[in-house]
Amino acid sequence: METKLLEIIQNEILEFTGSPTPETDLFEAGLDSMAIMQLLLHIEDHFKVVLEPADLSRENFQTTSKIATLITSKS
Amino acid sequence: MPKATSSDAFLLGLESLMRRSGQGSHIAATVIELAGKPDPYSIRKAAEALCQRHPLLHAHLRRSFFTFIAKWQIGPPGALPVITHETGNLEELVTRILNAGEIDIFRPGPNLQIHVLSQGDNHSIILLWPHALFDAIGIEKLIAELDSLDSIPRQEWGETNPSSGTPAELWKAAYPMIEEMRTFPSASIRSLHQPRRRSGAARFEVLKFSSDSTRIIQDKLAKTSGELLMIPYFAALSARAVAKVINSRNTGPSDMLVSLPVQRIANPSARPLFQNHMAAWSLLLGDQDLNELSTATKALYRSYASFMKRKLPTAMEALIKLNERCPSRFYLFPITHYLKGEICSLFHSHTGKVAAQTEALFTKPILNAYHIPSVSTPPGIGIFFSERNSQLACTISWREGSLDADELITLRQHLFDDLGAKAPTSP
């Protein structure tokens, strides 16, 4: 899942200057409110998980690895 | 001679509407509050370098006779106006310069004014800029290099809209958005625009929230929609406040069409400083969606999701590209036709942190910073949020004739109620 998620973020959401890893800080890479909304749609489409308001925290979305952990916990 | 981007062409439509209806031009101010008085000599030296570095700061627009696409004509670099004010009130000053009409994108001359206001211990730099040449990210980038003495010219412009093709191909790509616009007449979309009232000067009020109040607002945001979903939350909150004023006029139920500017390139370092690089997404909120803030936020997110899933962003980009040759005075005609004289219900944006990359200017730390855009009527109202040093700012911009004093109180009170915190109302 982590690999697929990173692929989505890299290809559809953000433009990275180098090669991102699961631990790359997504906020430093430009993850803003609009990008979060796009990402949520992809998460719904690809992983069939609808996240609740309480899940949408900076802590949970800091890295691809943390988002993957969140999705796994909701699956 | 850089060509106007397709996003610039969209804004020139608004510019044309404003000029033809006596609303001046589409100008915005950015206020940067500093901890200490900046040295005027240093600002003038930096302004001289800025002119050398960026020839578009002395350029004006002219339509091509053959393609009808507007192009910037670069003039000789001159001095950028740096005007110091030792006395006076910030609100009066910004209102005056927003309405003075001294920056004219169709005439040779400077496209940026730098005002320095010192009132006792309060010191501010105010940048006055035309929206035809910058968007909020552009101004952000300009602030980051405002005190640089580098005078080597740079070409910081260019088109970023990926749409291309023949007019027939663009029409085909844009068609889903045209179909979407054809659904608008079935909704009762209204704004604060009052056709029988003469539109007057650009007015504004800045609600500046302390760090403590901002924390309270963010807590409510986190509980309502999650701390990261700022855009639908603040857009829904703004739409609800405008709807409250419309409802107070007893004109019947109203649906809200929120126009959201969306940056085409998320990473500011990957886009040019000058020109506009955003699309405008029109998201509909039904009358029933507006009853509760949480419901309105979810409805706006659903509207966004539907917009994305139907690939309307791509269609919108193609439509913007298709229209770039359209004479400005006709540009908005399809929109106003489908919306029965409206453009949208309100302009709105949350630009995030202002001057995020800049700690200090001219050696003085930045205490606060926010934008004050002027708006056209229709819609006659814009509600814009931004943040600096953990302090939220909300700028209410309107046109005289669109919002009276009692309605402003209603609007402001509703914003406070939804935000969950109050703020002093002086800028």
Side-chain angles (χ1 to χ4, degrees), chain B residues 43 46 60 75 77 100 132 150 157 183 197 209-210 246 257 263 266 268 300 322 343 353 363 381 391-393 397 422:
Chain B
I43 297 175
H60 64 283
D150 176 10
W157 56 72
T183 67
R197 287 198 190 175
F209 296 88
S210 66
I246 294 172
L257 190 70
Q263 286 292 333
L300 200 64
L322 183 67
I343 296 172
K353 287 181 183 168
T363 73
I381 181 76
Q391 304 162 106
L392 185 74
S397 298
K422 288 192 173 184

Side-chain angles (χ1 to χ4, degrees), chain A residues 13-15 17 27 29-34 36-41 44-45 52-54 56-59 61, chain B residues 222-232 260-262 264-267 269-270 281 298 301 304-305 308-309:
Chain A
I13 313 286
L14 296 175
E15 293 161 29
T17 44
F27 293 108
L31 190 70
D32 58 12
S33 183
M34 189 57 76
I36 291 276
M37 285 163 65
Q38 283 178 267
L39 182 55
L40 290 178
L41 289 180
E44 285 179 32
D45 282 351
E52 296 297 317
L56 306 180
S57 66
R58 286 187 75 84
E59 173 61 27
F61 279 74
Chain B
K223 284 175 189 156
T224 309
S225 66
E227 66 175 316
L228 299 178
L229 278 190
M230 288 192 313
I231 287 179
L260 289 180
V262 181
R264 201 169 283 134
I265 299 173
N267 182 0
S269 64
W281 293 2
K298 282 177 191 161
Y301 177 71
Y304 161 85
M308 291 290 290
K309 284 177 178 169

